[in-house]
């Protein structure tokens, strides 16, 4: 086409193009690009790259914030200049990571670091969506039913009907300690000692290194289903089938208090430092929670004989709805599951903050609860819920594990990732449960690869 004729044609096309809607203009450009050879996209790339280069960096960053991460990654392929500018925008990649539920350290201002974190994050999130983020393993060593499990810092303690308790290194599958005990219904441990609650109605304290029983707590008239303790306070608490909670002097073994008011088995006791202020407690106060089939009771921890319950929480006044045996309390919120869904109470006001329902799956039991994610399970699957959308984002099949009305034969492992993944905390144990063959079934994070 002659130059003069081309200019006339271009003027006519320009007038028509300006009269189109935005959608029509986009379709026109898409069509023209599809008709182009290799030279035209390269020319367009150079032009846009030159345009982006002329903009002040702050303005470029502002414009980039309006694009989704996948589009940004595509734009990084346009040219070296685009890749340099986009990869240098720290806020864009930090926001992208936050939106995926990842923890952000704002003190790290290396944009390339956050871009790499984002790429790692989308890989892990896709593994979760595709049910490929976990792997399984087993611990074998007990010769009878395993009733009690407790996990801490890479170590798993198991208490069995074979009159023994074992401490396992989850990463290697090796048994670190094995000591003779009574029948264990509940266990908790630290580096030096093991505390066990038993079906023989007693609580005992054992030394790992020697296997010796260093303390024996007698006084309950029913099986002891849950124990907790605090060395700083020198206090141990126990919940029993006799409907009571007992407070003991940990070192002396004497009973300091017996808390009454429950009308069902006390299946869970939790000793935790309060983190919020209310009319009934202050930050730093130690609080005891005890739970049965229908109620959660809140107690102040002290040495008063006539200790009074601060508050009783339930999900139904007529006791028509049962609580699941698992209980989460972090000093700010109390969370428990029931047939109606997950209930979250604000510990400052004792008000119900929200009820999370999963109509597509009934009777999900709580394992762990954080700022971003919750870990749940039923008879068939382990589930991860995104608490921001209250939607289930991943599931993992479970074998026919041993059921427990008291919730002691299964537990969550590492919990920090529930407050947001960070690229380092998605390792180690996710879930453990005892099996009918007396082994322990483990669900572990799979390495990123």
């Amino acid at each position: 086409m002659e130059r003069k004729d081309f200019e006339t044609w271009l003027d006519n096309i320009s007038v028509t193009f300006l009269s189109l809607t935005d959608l029509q203009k986009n379709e026109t450009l898409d069509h023209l690009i599809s008709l182009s050879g290799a030279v035209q996209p390269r020319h367009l790339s150079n032009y846009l790259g030159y345009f982006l280069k002329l903009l002040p960096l702050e303005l470029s960053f502002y414009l980039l914030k309006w694009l989704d991460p996948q589009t940004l990654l595509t734009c990084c392929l346009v040219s070296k200049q685009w890749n340099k500018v986009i990869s240098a925008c720290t806020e864009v990649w930090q926001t992208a990571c936050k939106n995926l539920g990842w923890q952000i350290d704002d003190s790290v201002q290396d944009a390339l670091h956050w871009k790499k974190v984002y790429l790692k994050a989308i890989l892990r999130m896709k593994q979760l969506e595709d049910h490929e983020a976990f792997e399984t393993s087993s611990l074998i060593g007990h010769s009878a039913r395993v009733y009690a499990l407790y996990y801490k810092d890479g170590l798993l303690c198991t208490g069995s009907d074979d009159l023994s308790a074992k401490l396992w290194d989850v990463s290697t599958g090796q048994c670190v300690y094995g000591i003779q005990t009574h029948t264990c219904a509940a266990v908790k441990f630290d580096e030096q000692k093991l505390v066990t609650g038993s079906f023989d109605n007693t609580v005992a304290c054992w030394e790992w290194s020697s296997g010796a029983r260093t303390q024996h707590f007698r006084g309950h008239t029913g099986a002891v289903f849950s124990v907790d303790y605090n060395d700083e306070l020198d206090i141990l608490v126990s919940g029993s089938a006799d409907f009571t909670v007992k407070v003991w002097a940990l070192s002396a073994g004497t009973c300091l208090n017996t808390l009454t008011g429950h009308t069902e088995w006390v299946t869970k006791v939790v000793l935790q430092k309060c983190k919020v202020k209310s009319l009934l407690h202050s930050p730093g106060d130690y609080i005891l929670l005890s739970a049965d089939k229908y109620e959660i009771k809140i107690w102040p921890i002290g040495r008063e004989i006539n200790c009074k319950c601060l508050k009783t929480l339930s999900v139904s006044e007529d006791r028509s709805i049962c609580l699941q045996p698992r209980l989460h309390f972090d000093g700010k919120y109390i969370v428990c599951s029931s047939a109606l869904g997950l209930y979250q109470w604000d510990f400052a006001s004792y008000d119900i903050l929200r009820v999370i329902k999963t109509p597509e799956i009934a009777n999900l039991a709580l394992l762990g609860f954080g700022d971003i994610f919750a870990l749940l399970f039923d008879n068939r699957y382990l589930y991860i819920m995104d608490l921001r959308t209250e939607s289930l984002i991943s599931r993992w099949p479970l074998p026919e594990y041993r059921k427990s009305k008291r919730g002691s034969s299964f537990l969550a492992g590492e919990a920090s990732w529930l407050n947001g993944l960070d690229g380092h905390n998605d390792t180690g144990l996710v879930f453990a449960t005892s099996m009918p063959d007396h082994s322990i079934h483990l669900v572990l994070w799979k390495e990123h690869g």
Side-chain angles (χ1 to χ4, degrees):
M1 183 182 294
E2 296 292 334
R3 181 66 188 179
K4 185 176 181 181
D5 294 337
F6 172 73
E7 290 177 353
T8 302
W9 173 84
L10 190 59
D11 288 340
N12 293 334
I13 287 293
S14 299
V15 172
T16 304
F17 185 79
L18 291 173
S19 66
L20 300 177
T21 65
D22 286 338
L23 181 59
Q24 290 170 332
K25 289 178 181 177
N26 290 342
E27 290 181 4
T28 301
L29 290 174
D30 290 340
H31 183 66
L32 290 174
I33 291 172
S34 69
L35 297 175
S36 301
V39 176
Q40 286 73 44
R42 189 180 304 117
H43 172 75
L44 182 63
S45 170
N46 292 336
Y47 175 79
L48 293 174
Y50 179 72
F51 171 75
L52 192 62
K53 187 176 181 179
L54 291 177
L55 289 176
L57 200 56
E58 293 79 7
L59 185 54
S60 297
F61 288 168
Y62 176 78
L63 293 175
L64 293 174
K65 292 176 187 177
W66 296 95
L67 299 178
D68 64 272
Q70 192 57 49
T71 300
L72 290 171
L73 290 175
T74 302
C75 291
C76 286
L77 302 176
V78 170
S79 69
K80 291 182 179 179
Q81 180 61 31
W82 279 40
N83 183 49
K84 181 179 179 181
V85 173
I86 294 169
S87 298
C89 188
T90 302
E91 187 176 349
V92 163
W93 297 111
Q94 284 185 334
T95 301
C97 292
K98 287 179 182 177
N99 291 338
L100 284 177
W102 284 54
Q103 298 181 45
I104 298 301
D105 182 357
D106 291 320
S107 65
V108 180
Q109 290 297 307
D110 181 357
L112 189 58
H113 165 79
W114 291 116
K115 183 184 176 184
K116 291 178 179 177
V117 169
Y118 174 76
L119 292 172
K120 190 174 184 179
I122 57 174
L123 173 61
R124 180 57 97 189
M125 297 308 292
K126 188 173 189 312
Q127 288 178 337
L128 286 171
E129 292 170 6
D130 295 342
H131 320 305
E132 297 177 349
F134 305 135
E135 58 189 6
T136 59
S137 181
S138 295
L139 302 176
I140 300 173
H142 284 292
S143 59
R145 291 176 296 182
V146 176
Y147 277 111
L149 302 173
Y150 185 81
Y151 177 80
K152 178 183 177 182
D153 298 336
L155 299 173
L156 178 68
C157 181
T158 57
S160 170
D161 240 3
D162 62 10
L163 303 182
S164 76
K166 296 181 183 296
L167 189 64
W168 308 82
D169 184 327
V170 171
S171 63
T172 64
Q174 298 299 309
C175 181
V176 180
Y177 287 116
I179 61 175
Q180 293 299 304
T181 61
H182 46 187
T183 56
C184 298
V187 293
K188 185 175 181 180
F189 72 92
D190 56 41
E191 291 79 4
Q192 285 78 39
K193 64 181 176 295
L194 166 69
V195 174
T196 58
S198 176
F199 293 105
D200 67 9
N201 306 346
T202 70
V203 178
C205 185
W206 314 80
E207 186 178 65
W208 280 122
S209 58
S210 66
R213 186 176 65 192
T214 58
Q215 201 57 262
H216 207 188
F217 306 83
R218 300 176 183 271
H220 280 296
T221 57
V224 179
F225 293 141
S226 183
V227 294
D228 202 355
Y229 65 87
N230 183 282
D231 287 308
E232 179 185 347
L233 297 176
D234 190 32
I235 279 179
L236 180 146
V237 294
S238 56
S240 170
D242 63 12
F243 305 168
T244 70
V245 176
K246 287 187 180 291
V247 182
W248 311 82
L250 179 58
S251 57
T254 55
C255 183
L256 304 174
N257 212 340
T258 298
L259 310 180
T260 60
H262 284 284
T263 57
E264 298 284 343
W265 291 359
V266 181
T267 56
K268 189 67 176 177
V269 290
V270 177
L271 193 57
Q272 174 69 42
K273 187 177 289 188
C274 174
K275 297 179 181 178
V276 292
K277 182 175 179 58
S278 78
L279 294 175
L280 301 177
H281 44 68
S282 301
D285 292 346
Y286 277 93
I287 298 293
L288 168 63
L289 263 62
S290 58
D292 62 31
K293 189 176 180 181
Y294 299 107
E295 297 177 336
I296 301 169
K297 292 185 177 293
I298 303 169
W299 311 84
I301 279 295
R303 295 176 180 260
E304 304 87 357
I305 297 301
N306 298 316
C307 179
K308 292 184 178 180
C309 176
L310 297 176
K311 186 72 175 179
T312 298
L313 307 177
S314 64
V315 298
S316 60
E317 294 183 2
D318 61 356
R319 296 194 164 200
S320 59
I321 305 297
C322 295
L323 298 174
Q324 298 282 0
R326 307 296 298 180
L327 179 67
H328 169 84
F329 177 49
D330 61 3
K332 297 185 294 184
Y333 306 108
I334 300 171
V335 184
C336 194
S337 58
S338 74
L340 295 179
L342 292 179
Y343 279 74
Q344 182 180 19
W345 286 271
D346 175 39
F347 194 60
S349 63
Y350 301 135
D351 292 334
I352 295 176
L353 289 180
R354 60 175 169 172
V355 180
I356 304 173
K357 298 185 178 181
T358 52
E360 69 275 18
I361 303 172
N363 295 320
L364 285 182
L366 176 70
L367 283 166
F369 193 92
D371 296 333
I372 305 295
F373 302 111
L375 187 64
L376 312 165
F377 77 116
D378 61 14
N379 290 337
R380 298 177 60 200
Y381 293 100
L382 189 67
Y383 299 92
I384 295 177
M385 174 183 283
D386 188 328
L387 293 171
R388 299 166 300 176
T389 60
E390 298 183 2
S391 59
L392 299 175
I393 63 171
S394 183
R395 73 178 187 182
W396 183 263
L398 294 176
E400 289 290 330
Y401 58 87
R402 184 179 295 282
K403 310 300 187 293
S404 169
K405 293 182 179 179
R406 300 174 288 102
S408 62
S409 60
F410 41 79
L411 51 67
E414 299 291 345
S416 63
W417 67 271
L418 296 171
N419 293 321
L421 294 161
D422 63 9
H424 303 289
N425 59 8
D426 50 345
T427 59
L429 184 66
V430 179
F431 173 78
T433 185
S434 59
M435 300 295 291
D437 64 359
H438 319 321
S439 67
I440 311 300
H441 179 77
L442 307 179
V443 178
L444 306 146
W445 282 104
K446 187 184 294 183
E447 290 188 11
H448 280 276

